[in-house]
């Protein structure tokens, strides 16, 4: 394991440490640091960010931050936050044609609740999908740690029976993902391929960055050669170049796939890709539960650590 892999694993561990979280949240982090990655805690903050992004010709998908909910009231609150968000986006004319969609975590909608957790989360997701459909847009189901992969894919199958445009997320660091790509590379299937941002054991996932990159390319080949709609979620210039080459080899129209990047990361490259005629979608998180999200962003790109630490050391 090289130094970057060690740092990544350490940051993923920190994302689960409540005591460290308390220190970070109480530190004098400048507002600009957090807002580089999260536009704000309120719906108005993210609607403003999505409006600006749409004005530059880019698409977006919005995530209301939170996961691993074990309280029914909180799961209902998350559902209601998405319904209110979609209504606001629709009223601003941002949902038509899928300009802005939303990304859901089933664990935030109640999947981990005792008893009927899976049904509760699925029912909440259905309500969100119904409103999204009426607003002219769609939904993507975010993937979480490997213990929920099968449950998430089962929910995907159920939702697609009524909402066929619901998107899936697959994580290249899992050994199983090539097979999942083959299963989902069919007509009408929207698949976001990312590297993966959770700490997973060696029994289920590649541990080195080099192996994850190789898996990403293998998975991307399957998706580009399939009949679905690949969503290339990466900030890696080399992988982005490979994605373009694979799309060309497969004879894909630029409208038949898209690139995706996170809010606040490589914004100029996002605009460059959009300006050249390719589709670029920005993943925008918002809400109070930013800590775990921020730590995973640090883990994905360790160069972000210095940016963040400089902010921690700076008075607001």
């Amino acid at each position: 394991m090289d130094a970057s892999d060690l740092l990544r694993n350490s940051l993923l561990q920190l994302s689960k440490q409540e005591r460290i979280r308390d220190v970070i949240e109480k530190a004098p982090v400048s507002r600009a640091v957090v807002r580089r990655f999260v536009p704000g805690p309120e719906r108005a903050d993210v609607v403003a960010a999505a409006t600006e992004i749409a004005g530059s010709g880019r698409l977006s998908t919005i995530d209301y931050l939170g996961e691993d909910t074990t309280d029914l009231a909180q799961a209902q609150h998350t559902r209601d936050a998405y319904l209110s968000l979609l209504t606001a986006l629709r009223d601003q004319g941002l949902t038509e044609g899928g300009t802005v969609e939303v990304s859901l975590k089933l664990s935030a909608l109640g999947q981990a609740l005792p008893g009927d957790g899976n049904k509760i989360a699925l029912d909440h997701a259905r309500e969100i999908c119904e409103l999204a459909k009426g607003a002219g847009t769609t939904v993507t189901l975010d993937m979480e740690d490997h213990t929920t992969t099968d449950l998430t894919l089962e929910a995907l199958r159920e939702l697609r029976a009524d909402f066929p445009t619901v998107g899936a997320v697959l994580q290249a660091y899992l050994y199983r993902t090539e097979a999942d790509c083959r299963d989902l590379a069919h007509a009408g299937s929207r698949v976001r391929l990312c590297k993966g941002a959770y700490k997973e054991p060696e029994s289920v996932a590649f541990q080195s960055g080099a192996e994850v990159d190789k898996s990403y390319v293998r998975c991307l080949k399957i998706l580009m050669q399939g009949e679905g709609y690949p969503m290339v979620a990466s900030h890696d210039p080399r992988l982005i170049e490979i994605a373009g080459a694979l799309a060309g080899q497969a004879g894909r129209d630029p409208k038949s796939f898209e690139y995706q990047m996170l809010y606040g990361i490589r914004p100029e490259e996002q605009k460059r890709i959009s300006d050249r005629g390719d589709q670029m979608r920005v993943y925008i998180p918002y809400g109070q539960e930013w800590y775990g999200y921020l730590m995973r962003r640090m883990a994905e790109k360790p160069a972000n650590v210095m940016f963040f630490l400089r902010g921690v050391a700076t008075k607001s």
Side-chain angles (χ1 to χ4, degrees), residues 7-27:
L7 177 58
R8 177 179 184 275
N9 288 337
S10 297
L11 288 166
L12 290 175
Q13 290 281 15
L14 286 177
S15 73
K16 300 291 186 180
Q17 299 295 317
E18 292 297 324
R19 290 180 62 188
I20 301 298
R21 170 183 177 150
D22 290 342
V23 171
I24 295 293
E25 289 189 337
K26 293 174 182 176

PDB file of all heavy atoms in Angstrom, residues 7-27:
ATOM      1  N   LEU A   7      -3.297   7.223   3.185  1.00  0.00           N
ATOM      2  CA  LEU A   7      -4.020   8.441   3.543  1.00  0.00           C
ATOM      3  C   LEU A   7      -5.508   8.279   3.269  1.00  0.00           C
ATOM      4  O   LEU A   7      -6.358   8.663   4.085  1.00  0.00           O
ATOM      5  CB  LEU A   7      -3.463   9.631   2.754  1.00  0.00           C
ATOM      6  CG  LEU A   7      -4.157  10.979   2.964  1.00  0.00           C
ATOM      7  CD1 LEU A   7      -4.113  11.387   4.427  1.00  0.00           C
ATOM      8  CD2 LEU A   7      -3.519  12.050   2.085  1.00  0.00           C
ATOM      9  N   ARG A   8      -5.831   7.688   2.131  1.00  0.00           N
ATOM     10  CA  ARG A   8      -7.232   7.481   1.783  1.00  0.00           C
ATOM     11  C   ARG A   8      -7.933   6.634   2.839  1.00  0.00           C
ATOM     12  O   ARG A   8      -9.021   6.988   3.322  1.00  0.00           O
ATOM     13  CB  ARG A   8      -7.336   6.796   0.416  1.00  0.00           C
ATOM     14  CG  ARG A   8      -8.760   6.465  -0.008  1.00  0.00           C
ATOM     15  CD  ARG A   8      -8.775   5.814  -1.385  1.00  0.00           C
ATOM     16  NE  ARG A   8     -10.132   5.582  -1.810  1.00  0.00           N
ATOM     17  CZ  ARG A   8     -10.862   4.512  -1.483  1.00  0.00           C
ATOM     18  NH1 ARG A   8     -10.337   3.571  -0.717  1.00  0.00           N
ATOM     19  NH2 ARG A   8     -12.099   4.388  -1.914  1.00  0.00           N
ATOM     20  N   ASN A   9      -7.323   5.530   3.225  1.00  0.00           N
ATOM     21  CA  ASN A   9      -7.930   4.656   4.220  1.00  0.00           C
ATOM     22  C   ASN A   9      -8.088   5.354   5.570  1.00  0.00           C
ATOM     23  O   ASN A   9      -9.081   5.165   6.278  1.00  0.00           O
ATOM     24  CB  ASN A   9      -7.112   3.378   4.371  1.00  0.00           C
ATOM     25  CG  ASN A   9      -7.254   2.453   3.177  1.00  0.00           C
ATOM     26  OD1 ASN A   9      -8.234   2.528   2.442  1.00  0.00           O
ATOM     27  ND2 ASN A   9      -6.278   1.586   2.969  1.00  0.00           N
ATOM     28  N   SER A  10      -7.098   6.182   5.923  1.00  0.00           N
ATOM     29  CA  SER A  10      -7.174   6.911   7.186  1.00  0.00           C
ATOM     30  C   SER A  10      -8.341   7.895   7.182  1.00  0.00           C
ATOM     31  O   SER A  10      -9.074   8.021   8.171  1.00  0.00           O
ATOM     32  CB  SER A  10      -5.864   7.652   7.448  1.00  0.00           C
ATOM     33  OG  SER A  10      -4.783   6.744   7.580  1.00  0.00           O
ATOM     34  N   LEU A  11      -8.520   8.585   6.064  1.00  0.00           N
ATOM     35  CA  LEU A  11      -9.611   9.551   5.967  1.00  0.00           C
ATOM     36  C   LEU A  11     -10.969   8.860   5.999  1.00  0.00           C
ATOM     37  O   LEU A  11     -11.927   9.384   6.589  1.00  0.00           O
ATOM     38  CB  LEU A  11      -9.462  10.377   4.683  1.00  0.00           C
ATOM     39  CG  LEU A  11      -8.310  11.393   4.701  1.00  0.00           C
ATOM     40  CD1 LEU A  11      -8.038  11.900   3.304  1.00  0.00           C
ATOM     41  CD2 LEU A  11      -8.636  12.555   5.632  1.00  0.00           C
ATOM     42  N   LEU A  12     -11.061   7.707   5.375  1.00  0.00           N
ATOM     43  CA  LEU A  12     -12.319   6.973   5.418  1.00  0.00           C
ATOM     44  C   LEU A  12     -12.646   6.527   6.842  1.00  0.00           C
ATOM     45  O   LEU A  12     -13.806   6.503   7.247  1.00  0.00           O
ATOM     46  CB  LEU A  12     -12.263   5.772   4.471  1.00  0.00           C
ATOM     47  CG  LEU A  12     -12.254   6.135   2.980  1.00  0.00           C
ATOM     48  CD1 LEU A  12     -12.073   4.890   2.131  1.00  0.00           C
ATOM     49  CD2 LEU A  12     -13.534   6.862   2.580  1.00  0.00           C
ATOM     50  N   GLN A  13     -11.608   6.173   7.600  1.00  0.00           N
ATOM     51  CA  GLN A  13     -11.829   5.842   9.017  1.00  0.00           C
ATOM     52  C   GLN A  13     -12.309   7.069   9.776  1.00  0.00           C
ATOM     53  O   GLN A  13     -13.218   6.992  10.614  1.00  0.00           O
ATOM     54  CB  GLN A  13     -10.525   5.313   9.638  1.00  0.00           C
ATOM     55  CG  GLN A  13     -10.121   3.932   9.132  1.00  0.00           C
ATOM     56  CD  GLN A  13     -10.901   2.811   9.808  1.00  0.00           C
ATOM     57  OE1 GLN A  13     -11.923   3.037  10.442  1.00  0.00           O
ATOM     58  NE2 GLN A  13     -10.422   1.589   9.651  1.00  0.00           N
ATOM     59  N   LEU A  14     -11.711   8.229   9.492  1.00  0.00           N
ATOM     60  CA  LEU A  14     -12.101   9.458  10.178  1.00  0.00           C
ATOM     61  C   LEU A  14     -13.553   9.834   9.906  1.00  0.00           C
ATOM     62  O   LEU A  14     -14.206  10.455  10.758  1.00  0.00           O
ATOM     63  CB  LEU A  14     -11.184  10.616   9.754  1.00  0.00           C
ATOM     64  CG  LEU A  14      -9.768  10.614  10.314  1.00  0.00           C
ATOM     65  CD1 LEU A  14      -8.982  11.778   9.728  1.00  0.00           C
ATOM     66  CD2 LEU A  14      -9.780  10.705  11.837  1.00  0.00           C
ATOM     67  N   SER A  15     -14.044   9.476   8.714  1.00  0.00           N
ATOM     68  CA  SER A  15     -15.424   9.830   8.371  1.00  0.00           C
ATOM     69  C   SER A  15     -16.429   9.187   9.317  1.00  0.00           C
ATOM     70  O   SER A  15     -17.576   9.623   9.403  1.00  0.00           O
ATOM     71  CB  SER A  15     -15.729   9.427   6.922  1.00  0.00           C
ATOM     72  OG  SER A  15     -15.855   8.027   6.799  1.00  0.00           O
ATOM     73  N   LYS A  16     -16.003   8.146  10.048  1.00  0.00           N
ATOM     74  CA  LYS A  16     -16.891   7.445  10.977  1.00  0.00           C
ATOM     75  C   LYS A  16     -16.638   7.812  12.440  1.00  0.00           C
ATOM     76  O   LYS A  16     -17.340   7.326  13.321  1.00  0.00           O
ATOM     77  CB  LYS A  16     -16.715   5.926  10.814  1.00  0.00           C
ATOM     78  CG  LYS A  16     -17.023   5.407   9.415  1.00  0.00           C
ATOM     79  CD  LYS A  16     -18.500   5.499   9.107  1.00  0.00           C
ATOM     80  CE  LYS A  16     -18.836   4.844   7.783  1.00  0.00           C
ATOM     81  NZ  LYS A  16     -20.279   4.922   7.471  1.00  0.00           N
ATOM     82  N   GLN A  17     -15.646   8.646  12.697  1.00  0.00           N
ATOM     83  CA  GLN A  17     -15.256   8.953  14.074  1.00  0.00           C
ATOM     84  C   GLN A  17     -16.003  10.175  14.602  1.00  0.00           C
ATOM     85  O   GLN A  17     -15.750  11.303  14.176  1.00  0.00           O
ATOM     86  CB  GLN A  17     -13.748   9.197  14.161  1.00  0.00           C
ATOM     87  CG  GLN A  17     -12.897   8.008  13.760  1.00  0.00           C
ATOM     88  CD  GLN A  17     -13.072   6.835  14.703  1.00  0.00           C
ATOM     89  OE1 GLN A  17     -13.119   7.018  15.926  1.00  0.00           O
ATOM     90  NE2 GLN A  17     -13.143   5.638  14.152  1.00  0.00           N
ATOM     91  N   GLU A  18     -16.919   9.946  15.536  1.00  0.00           N
ATOM     92  CA  GLU A  18     -17.738  11.039  16.043  1.00  0.00           C
ATOM     93  C   GLU A  18     -16.919  12.091  16.797  1.00  0.00           C
ATOM     94  O   GLU A  18     -17.185  13.287  16.695  1.00  0.00           O
ATOM     95  CB  GLU A  18     -18.834  10.483  16.967  1.00  0.00           C
ATOM     96  CG  GLU A  18     -19.885   9.656  16.246  1.00  0.00           C
ATOM     97  CD  GLU A  18     -20.655  10.469  15.228  1.00  0.00           C
ATOM     98  OE1 GLU A  18     -20.906  11.661  15.485  1.00  0.00           O
ATOM     99  OE2 GLU A  18     -21.014   9.914  14.173  1.00  0.00           O
ATOM    100  N   ARG A  19     -15.903  11.662  17.566  1.00  0.00           N
ATOM    101  CA  ARG A  19     -15.106  12.633  18.337  1.00  0.00           C
ATOM    102  C   ARG A  19     -14.340  13.558  17.399  1.00  0.00           C
ATOM    103  O   ARG A  19     -14.258  14.767  17.631  1.00  0.00           O
ATOM    104  CB  ARG A  19     -14.138  11.902  19.265  1.00  0.00           C
ATOM    105  CG  ARG A  19     -14.833  11.180  20.428  1.00  0.00           C
ATOM    106  CD  ARG A  19     -13.837  10.472  21.317  1.00  0.00           C
ATOM    107  NE  ARG A  19     -12.906  11.409  21.936  1.00  0.00           N
ATOM    108  CZ  ARG A  19     -11.841  11.047  22.637  1.00  0.00           C
ATOM    109  NH1 ARG A  19     -11.578   9.749  22.798  1.00  0.00           N
ATOM    110  NH2 ARG A  19     -11.056  11.947  23.190  1.00  0.00           N
ATOM    111  N   ILE A  20     -13.762  12.982  16.338  1.00  0.00           N
ATOM    112  CA  ILE A  20     -13.050  13.813  15.365  1.00  0.00           C
ATOM    113  C   ILE A  20     -14.025  14.739  14.655  1.00  0.00           C
ATOM    114  O   ILE A  20     -13.729  15.914  14.406  1.00  0.00           O
ATOM    115  CB  ILE A  20     -12.299  12.933  14.342  1.00  0.00           C
ATOM    116  CG1 ILE A  20     -11.299  12.023  15.060  1.00  0.00           C
ATOM    117  CG2 ILE A  20     -11.583  13.800  13.314  1.00  0.00           C
ATOM    118  CD1 ILE A  20     -10.218  12.758  15.809  1.00  0.00           C
ATOM    119  N   ARG A  21     -15.203  14.210  14.350  1.00  0.00           N
ATOM    120  CA  ARG A  21     -16.225  15.036  13.716  1.00  0.00           C
ATOM    121  C   ARG A  21     -16.533  16.264  14.558  1.00  0.00           C
ATOM    122  O   ARG A  21     -16.637  17.380  14.053  1.00  0.00           O
ATOM    123  CB  ARG A  21     -17.493  14.208  13.499  1.00  0.00           C
ATOM    124  CG  ARG A  21     -18.692  15.038  13.054  1.00  0.00           C
ATOM    125  CD  ARG A  21     -19.936  14.197  12.916  1.00  0.00           C
ATOM    126  NE  ARG A  21     -21.067  15.046  12.550  1.00  0.00           N
ATOM    127  CZ  ARG A  21     -22.093  14.639  11.834  1.00  0.00           C
ATOM    128  NH1 ARG A  21     -22.140  13.403  11.399  1.00  0.00           N
ATOM    129  NH2 ARG A  21     -23.086  15.454  11.549  1.00  0.00           N
ATOM    130  N   ASP A  22     -16.679  16.071  15.874  1.00  0.00           N
ATOM    131  CA  ASP A  22     -16.988  17.194  16.752  1.00  0.00           C
ATOM    132  C   ASP A  22     -15.901  18.257  16.698  1.00  0.00           C
ATOM    133  O   ASP A  22     -16.186  19.458  16.670  1.00  0.00           O
ATOM    134  CB  ASP A  22     -17.153  16.703  18.195  1.00  0.00           C
ATOM    135  CG  ASP A  22     -18.421  15.886  18.395  1.00  0.00           C
ATOM    136  OD1 ASP A  22     -19.316  15.985  17.537  1.00  0.00           O
ATOM    137  OD2 ASP A  22     -18.509  15.155  19.398  1.00  0.00           O
ATOM    138  N   VAL A  23     -14.630  17.809  16.668  1.00  0.00           N
ATOM    139  CA  VAL A  23     -13.511  18.753  16.608  1.00  0.00           C
ATOM    140  C   VAL A  23     -13.559  19.553  15.316  1.00  0.00           C
ATOM    141  O   VAL A  23     -13.430  20.784  15.303  1.00  0.00           O
ATOM    142  CB  VAL A  23     -12.166  18.015  16.736  1.00  0.00           C
ATOM    143  CG1 VAL A  23     -10.998  18.964  16.460  1.00  0.00           C
ATOM    144  CG2 VAL A  23     -12.034  17.412  18.135  1.00  0.00           C
ATOM    145  N   ILE A  24     -13.739  18.834  14.195  1.00  0.00           N
ATOM    146  CA  ILE A  24     -13.755  19.500  12.886  1.00  0.00           C
ATOM    147  C   ILE A  24     -14.922  20.472  12.783  1.00  0.00           C
ATOM    148  O   ILE A  24     -14.776  21.613  12.322  1.00  0.00           O
ATOM    149  CB  ILE A  24     -13.824  18.459  11.750  1.00  0.00           C
ATOM    150  CG1 ILE A  24     -12.545  17.600  11.733  1.00  0.00           C
ATOM    151  CG2 ILE A  24     -14.039  19.128  10.406  1.00  0.00           C
ATOM    152  CD1 ILE A  24     -11.300  18.357  11.362  1.00  0.00           C
ATOM    153  N   GLU A  25     -16.104  20.038  13.240  1.00  0.00           N
ATOM    154  CA  GLU A  25     -17.278  20.896  13.104  1.00  0.00           C
ATOM    155  C   GLU A  25     -17.185  22.153  13.957  1.00  0.00           C
ATOM    156  O   GLU A  25     -17.766  23.182  13.617  1.00  0.00           O
ATOM    157  CB  GLU A  25     -18.542  20.111  13.459  1.00  0.00           C
ATOM    158  CG  GLU A  25     -18.896  19.067  12.403  1.00  0.00           C
ATOM    159  CD  GLU A  25     -20.247  18.440  12.646  1.00  0.00           C
ATOM    160  OE1 GLU A  25     -20.717  18.471  13.809  1.00  0.00           O
ATOM    161  OE2 GLU A  25     -20.838  17.910  11.690  1.00  0.00           O
ATOM    162  N   LYS A  26     -16.420  22.066  15.076  1.00  0.00           N
ATOM    163  CA  LYS A  26     -16.295  23.228  15.951  1.00  0.00           C
ATOM    164  C   LYS A  26     -15.073  24.090  15.618  1.00  0.00           C
ATOM    165  O   LYS A  26     -14.912  25.183  16.156  1.00  0.00           O
ATOM    166  CB  LYS A  26     -16.218  22.766  17.410  1.00  0.00           C
ATOM    167  CG  LYS A  26     -17.524  22.144  17.896  1.00  0.00           C
ATOM    168  CD  LYS A  26     -17.385  21.565  19.295  1.00  0.00           C
ATOM    169  CE  LYS A  26     -18.682  20.911  19.743  1.00  0.00           C
ATOM    170  NZ  LYS A  26     -18.555  20.254  21.072  1.00  0.00           N
ATOM    171  N   ALA A  27     -14.229  23.561  14.718  1.00  0.00           N
ATOM    172  CA  ALA A  27     -13.038  24.330  14.344  1.00  0.00           C
ATOM    173  C   ALA A  27     -13.444  25.550  13.515  1.00  0.00           C
ATOM    174  O   ALA A  27     -14.487  25.562  12.871  1.00  0.00           O
ATOM    175  CB  ALA A  27     -12.075  23.445  13.542  1.00  0.00           C
TER     176      ALA A  27
END
